[in-house]
Amino acid sequence: MTSPMPDVPAPEELPLEVLLRLAGREIEGDYGDTPRLALVALHRRPTREVFDRAAALVRNSDATQRELGVQVLRELGDEQPDGCRPFRDETVTLMRARLRDEADPAVVRWIVSALGYHHGREALSQVVALAGHPDDRVRFHVAAALPSLVGLDHVEPEAADALIRLCHDEDDETRFYALYAATREIAGLDVQAVTELTAQLADDSDEQVRAMAVAHHEAIREVRELLTGALEPGNTIGSYDHLIGPVLVTLAWAGDADDARLWLDDEIRRHLGTAAERFDTSSIADRLVTWWADKERHTWA
């Protein structure tokens, strides 16, 4: 008769040092290939003890240990109602200081990602400076982090320039994430610049980049016509271009048609300001939602 197997403790029940040792093994593999149970367990333990231990690792002389510390701090604790994670300010300060001296690309990429996860807008200039980094994964993380570091309505010029450059990056994934940010997440980019960008990428070598660029280029034209026709028929096309980005980003993120109508009405009124009182913005929002529903959504996925 075989003896019963001893109970194996769940990751969240393990001592901190054991979890750190297991998480260190997990990050040695390619990201996304295997579950990272120990790392996730650490993320779910946002205590001062965990923060201090991870912060000490960030200062370690060994690059692998620094990477582990950064990956722990990257998602330590859930976002609170104010949009910040626990230890946000301390984490951003630590990441910025480490970024000034860090030479290992594997650590740099995760520092950039951590700054994005903690909305470290004060680090924007440091992150933008890495848009031309020789390591393609660093550039990828810059593209992915920028939407969390910029003003979504009024994008800082240096960030907008960096994002446009990343849309032409030699790495397919970096181009995709940069274009996704430029068309689906950041409402405040200059619409003419985005129009030119999507035209340039209409024959991109990557199928996903190409499809997104073509779909968005067409959507800009159609939304411009809808807005002009609804807001001021007969006026010069382009009079309400400043609404195109907010409209398309809102439609992309709205959960359902009812949410989209409410959110669009709010966004249109917010961007029109006092002029909104002259228009039936609710009706305009409804027309835009109907138009969106008629689009082939798979081209936006």
Side-chain angles (χ1 to χ4, degrees), residues 167 172 175-176 179-180 183-184 194 197-220 292 295-301:
C167 286
D172 292 348
R175 288 202 310 284
F176 178 86
L179 182 60
Y180 187 93
T183 59
R184 305 293 299 280
V194 177
L197 171 68
T198 51
Q200 292 163 1
L201 296 177
D203 59 353
D204 191 87
S205 59
D206 182 82
E207 182 180 359
Q208 287 184 299
V209 172
R210 187 168 63 248
M212 191 188 308
V214 170
H216 198 83
H217 191 82
E218 182 66 13
I220 289 173
W292 179 261
K295 296 290 288 182
E296 294 182 341
R297 295 194 180 212
H298 72 271
T299 64
W300 297 85

Side-chain angles (χ1 to χ4, degrees), residues 259-273:
D259 285 344
R261 290 185 183 92
L262 290 173
W263 295 357
L264 269 180
D265 191 16
D266 286 345
E267 278 295 281
I268 292 170
R269 296 182 69 83
R270 183 168 71 88
H271 286 278
L272 285 176

Side-chain angles (χ1 to χ4, degrees), residues 82-103:
D82 62 358
C84 297
R85 296 174 186 271
F87 309 107
R88 182 267 178 200
D89 291 347
E90 292 171 89
T91 299
V92 171
T93 298
L94 177 61
M95 293 298 117
R96 294 188 68 194
R98 183 65 247 168
L99 193 57
R100 295 186 188 103
D101 301 318
E102 185 57 61

Side-chain angles (χ1 to χ4, degrees), residues 120-125 128 146-165 186 188-190:
R121 290 186 62 176
E122 55 266 55
L124 178 62
S125 61
V128 165
L146 278 176
S148 298
L149 303 177
V150 300
L152 297 180
D153 283 341
H154 303 286
V155 185
E156 294 80 353
E158 66 272 24
D161 291 344
L163 192 61
I164 296 297
R165 292 199 308 274
I186 302 176
L189 287 174
D190 177 71

Side-chain angles (χ1 to χ4, degrees), residues 112-113 115-117 127 140-150:
V112 169
S113 184
L115 287 166
Y117 269 75
V127 173
F140 167 85
H141 280 293
V142 171
L146 278 176
S148 298
L149 303 177
V150 300

